[in-house]
Amino acid sequence: MAMTETLSASLPTAIERLIDDVLRLADDSDLSLATAESCTGGLLASILTDVEGRSHVFERGFVVYTDGAKVQMLQVAPDLLATYGAVSEPVARAMAEGALQRSGAGLVLAVTGFAGPAGPDDETGLVHFAVASRGGTTTHAVRRFGEIGRGPCRLACLEVALTMMKAALETQQSPSVNRD
């Protein structure tokens, strides 16, 4: 198993395995990856570029912490943000699809959430994820991690994000079943 160079001592073994799986699957498929991150602040991009011999599959990352950045960099519609809020399924999907359109990547993972306390009506630990791929559908997942702290929440986000990326890559690698 390839290990991250910089963060290995800080990452759980399960996350290290997922990083290796995602990078290997993307490399074997000759598919590049991108991320669109809000609450993880670029942490996912960082770990995907930290494995020697595999980081070439990572194409780019968008760190879009503010609503303005989401609009400017990913062209998330301002009315979507106003209607649903930045931490929502529609915005996660729009982030993933926007990053896919603005990159050369074949697969994008987007994450937006409240890793720590936010506004009075915001649910701490609420995180939305979306995966978009060229020629595929965009999938979504939501997790409610609760008040576990910013660091633990971000690590939990990494595990969910990598698991979703791995599943999407495995789906793309699966041979089509011919049914007569």
Side-chain angles (χ1 to χ4, degrees):
M1 174 174 73
M3 305 286 278
T4 59
E5 186 174 315
T6 309
L7 298 173
S8 196
S10 302
L11 295 174
T13 304
I15 291 177
E16 287 276 0
R17 282 192 191 104
L18 284 166
I19 295 165
D20 186 56
D21 289 345
V22 165
L23 293 173
R24 179 184 41 77
L25 287 164
D27 196 15
D28 291 350
S29 300
D30 198 28
L31 192 69
S32 59
L33 307 172
T35 59
E37 300 177 70
S38 186
C39 66
T40 51
L43 187 56
L44 182 59
S46 178
I47 63 173
L48 291 172
T49 60
D50 204 32
V51 176
E52 189 174 328
R54 295 276 193 200
S55 62
H56 63 276
V57 302
F58 187 76
E59 203 260 348
R60 73 180 72 182
F62 299 90
V63 178
V64 289
Y65 206 70
T66 66
D67 287 358
K70 289 171 180 68
V71 171
Q72 182 183 30
M73 295 180 74
L74 303 176
Q75 301 219 318
V76 173
D79 64 325
L80 203 62
L81 289 158
T83 301
Y84 299 100
V87 180
S88 64
E89 178 178 347
V91 170
R93 287 177 180 275
M95 287 171 59
E97 292 165 2
L100 193 65
Q101 292 172 356
R102 283 150 195 80
S103 72
L107 185 84
V108 174
L109 183 290
V111 56
T112 182
F114 301 117
D121 295 327
D122 299 329
E123 181 184 341
T124 302
L126 173 64
V127 183
H128 288 268
F129 303 84
V131 173
S133 60
R134 297 209 183 273
T137 60
T138 302
T139 60
H140 167 263
V142 61
R143 296 292 184 276
R144 288 176 163 81
F145 299 114
E147 295 185 24
I148 61 174
R150 291 181 75 77
C153 186
R154 286 177 167 187
L155 284 175
C157 286
L158 292 180
E159 188 165 6
V160 172
L162 291 163
T163 299
M164 288 179 71
M165 292 176 87
K166 179 181 176 186
L169 288 163
E170 288 173 338
T171 299
Q172 288 188 355
Q173 277 194 339
S174 297
S176 298
V177 176
N178 186 4
R179 296 187 178 160
D180 295 316

